[in-house]
Amino acid sequence: MNRRDMLRYSTAWGLAGGLIALFDQPVRAAPGVVDVNAVLNDPESPLGGNPKGDVTIVVYFDYNCPYCKKSMPDMNRFVAQDGKIRVVYKDWPILAPSSITGAKLALAAKYQGKYMAVHDALMAIPHGHVTDDEMHEAAAASGVDMTQLAADAEKQNDAITALLKRNAEQADAMGLPGTPVYLIGPFKMASALDYDGFAQVVSDTRDQLRKR
C-alpha cells in the first residue's frame, strides 16, 4: 500500500467504537456538517461482516462501477478471513440511471433479508453500463423472491429514496470524488483496494487505536 494514496482528513471527529476520522478539507454543508453517527450507524444502511468488529469499513459504491466490482471481492475475502471487521454499505448510484435501479433492487431485497444476495449478484455482472433488464435478471438469479421484492420496493419506496438521498448528501459533504470510496478508521481511500491494501489500512487503523 502506497501511503501517498491515503487521503488524510484534517478536522477530527470522534467516531463510534473509538475510531477517529480526520477530514482533508472543511466539510461542506449539505445541509450541514456531516453527522458521524449517520455515516456509521444509519439504521437503514445494510451491514456486513462482524457487527461487533473493532474496525468499521464504510463503502460508497455504484453497481455500474468497474472499480467497485474489481475491489469488492477482495474486501469480502479480507472481511471473512479477518473476522473482526464491520462493514457499512452505502449505495451511491451516480454513474447511470440503471445504477438507481440496482440500488433500489438491493435495498428492497433487504426487507426479506436478501440484501447481500442481490448486492453480490449485481456486483458479479462483469461489465459496466448495465441495463435495467440486466439488473433485474441478476436480482432474480440471486434467489430472491421477486414478487415480494416488487411489493417491498413499492411499499418502502419513500424510505429507500430517503436513504439514497442521505448517502448522496454524506458523499457530497465529504467531497468524495466518485466510487469506490472506503472510509476505514482515520483513512479515506478513494481507490480500488486489493486484499493486501485492505489488510494494510486495517493494520494501520488498529495501530492508531492501540496508541490512543
Side-chain angles (χ1 to χ4, degrees), residues 69-86:
K69 294 178 180 186
K70 178 180 179 181
S71 186
M72 199 71 71
D74 279 347
M75 186 191 80
N76 292 342
R77 183 164 63 92
F78 173 73
V79 168
Q81 293 185 1
D82 181 276
K84 296 185 291 182
I85 304 294
R86 175 178 177 264

Side-chain angles (χ1 to χ4, degrees), residues 44 107 110-111 155-166:
E44 298 299 322
L107 291 169
K110 182 187 68 170
Y111 293 95
K155 180 179 179 181
Q156 304 294 340
N157 180 66
D158 288 349
I160 291 170
T161 300
L163 174 60
L164 294 177
K165 181 180 179 181
R166 290 197 299 276

Side-chain angles (χ1 to χ4, degrees), residues 16-169:
L19 301 181
I20 298 293
L22 306 170
F23 278 91
D24 62 329
Q25 57 187 354
V27 177
R28 299 194 305 275
V33 297
V34 175
D35 182 341
V36 180
N37 187 60
V39 172
L40 290 177
N41 299 306
D42 189 321
E44 298 299 322
S45 291
L47 299 178
N50 182 344
K52 297 183 179 180
D54 63 333
V55 172
T56 295
I57 296 176
V58 182
V59 51
Y60 288 81
F61 64 93
D62 184 303
Y63 291 115
N64 272 302
C65 171
Y67 303 104
C68 301
K69 294 178 180 186
K70 178 180 179 181
S71 186
M72 199 71 71
D74 279 347
M75 186 191 80
N76 292 342
R77 183 164 63 92
F78 173 73
V79 168
Q81 293 185 1
D82 181 276
K84 296 185 291 182
I85 304 294
R86 175 178 177 264
V87 182
V88 180
Y89 292 93
K90 298 286 188 176
D91 291 82
W92 187 26
I94 57 174
L95 297 179
S98 65
S99 300
I100 300 173
T101 299
K104 288 189 172 183
L105 285 168
L107 291 169
K110 182 187 68 170
Y111 293 95
Q112 57 179 290
K114 296 290 186 178
Y115 174 83
M116 288 308 306
V118 174
H119 169 87
D120 289 344
L122 297 177
M123 278 292 166
I125 299 173
H127 58 83
H129 304 290
V130 183
T131 66
D132 285 349
D133 286 345
E134 288 174 315
M135 294 285 190
H136 281 92
E137 290 167 3
S142 75
V144 70
D145 183 330
M146 292 298 287
T147 300
Q148 182 178 341
L149 186 149
D152 288 336
E154 181 176 1
K155 180 179 179 181
Q156 304 294 340
N157 180 66
D158 288 349
I160 291 170
T161 300
L163 174 60
L164 294 177
K165 181 180 179 181
R166 290 197 299 276
N167 291 350
E169 288 176 344

Side-chain angles (χ1 to χ4, degrees), residues 193-209:
L193 299 179
D194 60 12
Y195 182 95
D196 290 339
F198 285 109
Q200 181 64 66
V201 181
V202 169
S203 176
D204 289 346
T205 297
R206 286 177 173 145
D207 285 345
Q208 292 205 12
L209 290 175

